[in-house]
Amino acid sequence: MPRPSRWSDERKANREQADWIVGWLRINGPATTPEIIQALEAEGREVRAHILQRALRKSPFVQRIGSVEGERGTVSRWAWSIEEGDEA
């Protein structure tokens, strides 16, 4: 009996969503967390906190560059970047 894949359809979808967030930041960043959420909603994508956190905190290409005052208080500002020396 073959071993089941560790990459379930849900995990694949979560990974694709996180990749979309990082790609959107690369093209449209820097952006605040609410701006990223608005972009997800505009694309008809589901906003899921754990996926947003994975994309913003775990990606080696996304950096928190500060915070700004938003409608509901202080929000983080994110940017896509490559550290010096990481270019291939």
Side-chain angles (χ1 to χ4, degrees):
M1 182 171 182
R3 186 172 149 202
S5 172
R6 69 181 192 147
W7 291 98
S8 68
D9 290 340
E10 183 178 357
R11 282 189 77 178
K12 288 177 188 175
N14 290 350
R15 177 68 183 251
E16 192 272 343
Q17 180 87 325
D19 288 346
W20 185 91
I21 293 167
V22 173
W24 184 87
L25 263 177
R26 181 178 186 181
I27 296 167
N28 300 291
T32 62
T33 304
E35 291 169 340
I36 297 167
I37 291 169
Q38 286 176 343
L40 286 165
E41 291 170 343
E43 281 288 314
R45 293 177 172 271
E46 186 177 2
V47 177
R48 298 177 72 187
H50 71 283
I51 297 171
L52 186 59
Q53 180 179 352
R54 171 177 284 147
L56 298 177
R57 299 225 181 251
K58 303 268 183 178
S59 172
F61 303 111
V62 176
Q63 307 293 321
R64 184 177 180 273
I65 58 171
S67 58
V68 295
E69 282 300 316
E71 292 178 12
R72 298 180 181 170
T74 304
V75 295
S76 295
R77 192 160 163 80
W78 304 93
W80 188 90
S81 67
I82 296 179
E83 293 294 321
E84 290 296 316
D86 285 352
E87 296 94 22

